Amino acid sequence: MKVWITRARPGAEATATRLTGLGYRPVIAPLLEVRPLRTAVDLTGIDALVFTSMNAVAVFTGLSPARDRPVFAVGDATAGAAMEAGFVSVRSADGDLSALAAVIREEAKGLALLHPAAAQPAGDLSVLVGEVAHVQTLCVYETVETIARPPEGWDAVLIHSPRAGRVLADLAPDAMGRLACAISEAAAAPLSQLPFREVRVAAAPTEDALLAALGKPGPAV
């Protein structure tokens, strides 16, 4: 089964490696591209960092050499990226933004946290955390659409975000008889007008669950 990976690099490569190990034939054609912003990082008074994507980890580590703050990460993949970058104390919420906010409310009461994020974040973490902790959002990158076209002969497509879902819907590829797997209901919603054979939603907002939604590799459909 040839699986189209639409997520931005460098995450796309990590997904491709996982798919290959599971017996799929991945093809990378990102619909989105990460562009770092020229942002000054000031960690004065900051007790911990919050990362909601692997992209944020990659961009932040290029902006600041600091690795001494504890890290709260939205999921295991982001946590893994933070540990590979040199952070020692990393806590994974193993879920979505709401799960991360719940962990922060429980474990970071009264702390000042810096949230390096996209210019157009998927949600407002500070609102979800409330007054239990102070979350300062710092925009360190923007995500822009690419000019990628659908790869030849793809059987299934992975959608890692609502933004990617919207871009795919606007692209309107030939979806007839093909499978789409989305990481969340919000990511799947824009695909409702495309003639996919099936649109599956991951049981949890994690890449593990997204890949599980693909099922077992099989012949092209």
Side-chain angles (χ1 to χ4, degrees), residues 65-87:
R67 303 291 186 271
D68 58 334
R69 267 53 168 201
V71 167
F72 292 92
V74 68
D76 291 346
T78 302
M83 288 187 285
E84 288 182 9
F87 293 98

Side-chain angles (χ1 to χ4, degrees), residues 37-51:
L37 300 175
R38 295 190 178 185
T39 305
V41 176
D42 183 1
L43 296 179
T44 304
I46 297 298
D47 299 305
L49 298 170
V50 183
F51 292 118

Side-chain angles (χ1 to χ4, degrees), residues 154-172:
W154 58 282
D155 304 303
V157 60
L158 297 181
I159 302 298
H160 280 75
S161 68
R163 176 87 180 274
R166 293 192 293 272
V167 175
L168 182 66
D170 290 340
L171 186 61

Side-chain angles (χ1 to χ4, degrees), residues 119-193:
Q120 295 178 315
D124 194 330
L125 182 63
S126 63
V127 171
L128 293 174
V129 170
E131 298 181 357
V132 174
H134 176 66
V135 178
Q136 176 186 339
T137 299
L138 178 68
C139 297
V140 296
Y141 71 94
E142 61 180 348
T143 305
V144 298
E145 298 179 19
T146 70
I147 57 173
R149 308 304 300 174
E152 293 290 333
W154 58 282
D155 304 303
V157 60
L158 297 181
I159 302 298
H160 280 75
S161 68
R163 176 87 180 274
R166 293 192 293 272
V167 175
L168 182 66
D170 290 340
L171 186 61
D174 179 10
M176 185 67 68
R178 294 177 163 124
L179 170 67
C181 292
I183 202 165
S184 66
E185 292 286 356
L191 310 181
S192 61
Q193 300 304 312

